[in-house]
Amino acid sequence: MVKVENLVKNYGNFKLELSMEIADGRVTGIVGKNGAGKSTTIKSILGLIKPDGGHVTINGVEAERLSSRDKEKIGVSLSDSGFSMLLSIRDIICILKKMYPAFDEAFFTNSCKAQGLPMNKQIKEYSTGMRAKLRALIAMSHGAQLLVMDEPTAGLDVEARNDILDMIRNYLREDDKRSVLISSHISSDLEGLCDDIYLIHDGKVVLHEDTDAILDNYGVLKVSEEAYEQLDKSYILRSRKDSFGYSCFTNEKHYYAENNPGIVIENSGIDDLILMMTGGN
């Protein structure tokens, strides 16, 4: 579906330099600290900014050469963009019908009503959660095969976040070849949704792994200084000095459990992945 090869983008002292892939029928997540390059990566893929080097292809076509018909197959939800706040949903429907020949008015209207979005009110009167839901529904309303979402649940309460995640799951159920690229600071959203995760730090991919593998195989070892010196570090990805000794991030927690009786091993999630891979030694 999407292939990014040796993408380069320079902003002053910051340099984005990475390769990644979003396969058909997969949900791929991008995580990392603020300023890591997540949004720059997404905007480069979408052609909203021009890379300084490398290639981005979508279904085998260079991103910069995508036709209008090709772009209609991409649904986009960005946290910092959208329709004028003076428009209502009824106004937006008129615009979408002109923009997308495949716009599904019935689906869009019914979905807006199901999510409690007033049809005649201006968007400026909507809550933050309502605006986020509207952005997501617009992206899903024209039969897109690729859905690109940058922080779609940022700043939302649990109920609104779950509503948007359910929308994404329903979107995927309708066609098993649809793909999603999503970034988020909320790890629990990605853990329950994504097939694989790219961790970006300082403009580079420092880890790419299936989500199931992160949850099943990764862990944090808690060891004293003495135990750390004697520890087999073959599968230690990062280590950090702590008050009790060391925290060690591993992708083979079962190996250490079997070979180090009594060792303290904490299960890992995406938060640990970000913390240890971008802040450890």
Side-chain angles (χ1 to χ4, degrees), residues 112-170:
C112 287
K113 290 179 178 177
Q115 294 298 327
L117 305 181
M119 302 295 290
N120 296 312
K121 282 189 176 182
Q122 292 180 325
I123 299 174
K124 68 178 182 180
E125 300 179 55
Y126 282 17
S127 67
T128 301
M130 293 166 73
R131 291 172 191 167
K133 291 178 183 181
L134 178 58
R135 285 195 297 269
L137 288 174
I138 289 171
M140 300 174 189
S141 66
H142 51 88
Q145 289 299 109
L146 171 65
L147 186 62
V148 180
M149 311 189 83
D150 189 14
E151 298 287 350
T153 59
L156 306 185
D157 59 33
V158 173
E159 183 177 0
R161 280 168 42 212
N162 286 338
D163 286 342
I164 289 178
L165 294 175
D166 284 342
M167 289 181 203
I168 298 172
R169 293 186 183 100
N170 291 333

Side-chain angles (χ1 to χ4, degrees), residues 14 20 23 36 62 72 82 98 114 122 128 153 182 188 196 201 226 239 254 257 272 277:
F14 176 79
M20 65 183 300
E62 290 279 351
E72 289 170 11
K98 295 289 187 180
Q122 292 180 325
T128 301
T153 59
I182 181 172
S188 59
D196 62 318
H201 183 57
E226 181 181 358
S239 62
H254 303 297
D272 295 305
M277 292 300 292

Side-chain angles (χ1 to χ4, degrees), residues 239-265:
S239 62
R240 184 184 66 202
K241 184 75 172 65
D242 282 323
S243 57
F244 56 82
Y246 285 88
S247 293
C248 305
F249 190 59
T250 177
N251 59 347
E252 290 289 349
K253 66 182 180 185
H254 303 297
Y255 169 84
Y256 289 101
E258 292 171 3
N259 292 281
N260 299 269
I263 193 171
V264 176
I265 304 177

Side-chain angles (χ1 to χ4, degrees), residues 228-247:
Y228 178 76
E229 293 302 323
Q230 300 175 6
L231 187 68
D232 177 359
K233 301 179 181 63
S234 301
Y235 304 105
I236 300 299
L237 302 178
R238 291 287 191 278
S239 62
R240 184 184 66 202
K241 184 75 172 65
D242 282 323
S243 57
F244 56 82
Y246 285 88
S247 293

Side-chain angles (χ1 to χ4, degrees), residues 32-46:
K33 296 179 179 179
N34 287 334
K38 301 187 299 297
S39 294
T40 301
T41 300
I42 286 176
K43 290 178 180 178
S44 296
I45 291 172
L46 294 174

Side-chain angles (χ1 to χ4, degrees), residues 65-275:
R65 297 182 179 178
L66 291 174
S67 66
S68 297
R69 184 64 59 87
D70 292 328
K71 292 178 181 178
E72 289 170 11
K73 297 176 183 177
I74 304 173
V76 181
S77 174
L78 304 180
S79 59
D80 57 357
S81 65
F83 284 95
S84 166
M85 302 288 264
L86 300 178
L87 299 178
S88 68
I89 286 180
R90 295 201 183 279
D91 297 324
I92 290 172
I93 288 173
C94 294
I95 297 171
L96 292 174
K97 287 167 71 174
K98 295 289 187 180
M99 290 177 62
Y100 299 106
F103 173 64
D104 190 337
E105 183 177 354
F107 163 81
F108 182 70
T109 300
N110 292 335
S111 297
C112 287
K113 290 179 178 177
Q115 294 298 327
L117 305 181
M119 302 295 290
N120 296 312
K121 282 189 176 182
Q122 292 180 325
I123 299 174
K124 68 178 182 180
E125 300 179 55
Y126 282 17
S127 67
T128 301
M130 293 166 73
R131 291 172 191 167
K133 291 178 183 181
L134 178 58
R135 285 195 297 269
L137 288 174
I138 289 171
M140 300 174 189
S141 66
H142 51 88
Q145 289 299 109
L146 171 65
L147 186 62
V148 180
M149 311 189 83
D150 189 14
E151 298 287 350
T153 59
L156 306 185
D157 59 33
V158 173
E159 183 177 0
R161 280 168 42 212
N162 286 338
D163 286 342
I164 289 178
L165 294 175
D166 284 342
M167 289 181 203
I168 298 172
R169 293 186 183 100
N170 291 333
Y171 160 86
L172 292 167
R173 289 190 193 104
E174 293 174 4
D175 187 338
D176 60 9
K177 291 188 177 181
R178 287 178 171 174
S179 303
V180 178
L181 175 63
I182 181 172
S183 72
S184 178
H185 281 91
I186 305 171
S187 64
S188 59
D189 289 354
L190 299 185
E191 288 173 357
L193 181 68
C194 293
D195 295 299
D196 62 318
I197 298 289
Y198 282 89
L199 172 60
I200 299 177
H201 183 57
D202 289 339
K204 294 179 173 58
V205 173
V206 296
L207 188 141
H208 174 225
E209 186 65 272
D210 284 350
T211 310
D212 287 345
I214 294 172
L215 300 179
D216 294 342
N217 300 328
Y218 285 60
V220 180
L221 315 180
K222 303 285 189 177
V223 297
S224 66
E225 290 193 34
E226 181 181 358
Y228 178 76
E229 293 302 323
Q230 300 175 6
L231 187 68
D232 177 359
K233 301 179 181 63
S234 301
Y235 304 105
I236 300 299
L237 302 178
R238 291 287 191 278
S239 62
R240 184 184 66 202
K241 184 75 172 65
D242 282 323
S243 57
F244 56 82
Y246 285 88
S247 293
C248 305
F249 190 59
T250 177
N251 59 347
E252 290 289 349
K253 66 182 180 185
H254 303 297
Y255 169 84
Y256 289 101
E258 292 171 3
N259 292 281
N260 299 269
I263 193 171
V264 176
I265 304 177
E266 296 180 352
N267 291 329
S268 175
I270 294 175
D271 283 339
D272 295 305
L273 180 76
I274 297 171
L275 177 65

